Amino acid sequence: MAVPKRRTSHSRQGMRRSHLHLKPMQIQYCPRCEQQVLPHHLCSNCGHYQGREVVPEEAEKK
Ligand SMILES: [Zn+2]
């Protein structure tokens, strides 16, 4: 079984983990109701996407 010859120093460990960070979440705002929406998703508040109504008002309440 392969065994590490040297222990990983805290510096090396930090260098390896420097790429493990998460990117901040991308948030856009609905041009119709100013709610926060994810990119390429329809607005959960008013049901609009790309300036047109996708989900009717009645269907949202259910
Ligand atoms: Zn909206």
Side-chain angles (χ1 to χ4, degrees):
M1 191 178 81
V3 170
K5 192 169 188 177
R6 303 230 178 270
R7 79 189 183 110
T8 307
S9 66
H10 292 298
S11 173
R12 279 280 163 202
Q13 184 177 291
M15 281 192 259
R16 183 173 67 240
R17 292 177 183 174
S18 68
H19 299 280
L20 298 181
H21 57 85
L22 297 172
K23 285 180 182 174
M25 205 174 188
Q26 295 295 313
I27 293 176
Q28 293 176 342
Y29 293 90
C30 177
R32 190 165 180 270
C33 64
E34 308 298 330
Q35 284 274 323
Q36 292 183 348
V37 287
L38 295 171
H40 307 106
H41 285 244
L42 88 163
C43 177
S44 59
N45 186 51
C46 65
H48 276 65
Y49 183 69
Q50 293 283 318
R52 66 190 172 87
E53 189 175 13
V54 180
V55 178
E57 296 272 340
E58 296 173 14
E60 294 170 23
K61 294 168 187 174
K62 291 175 184 175

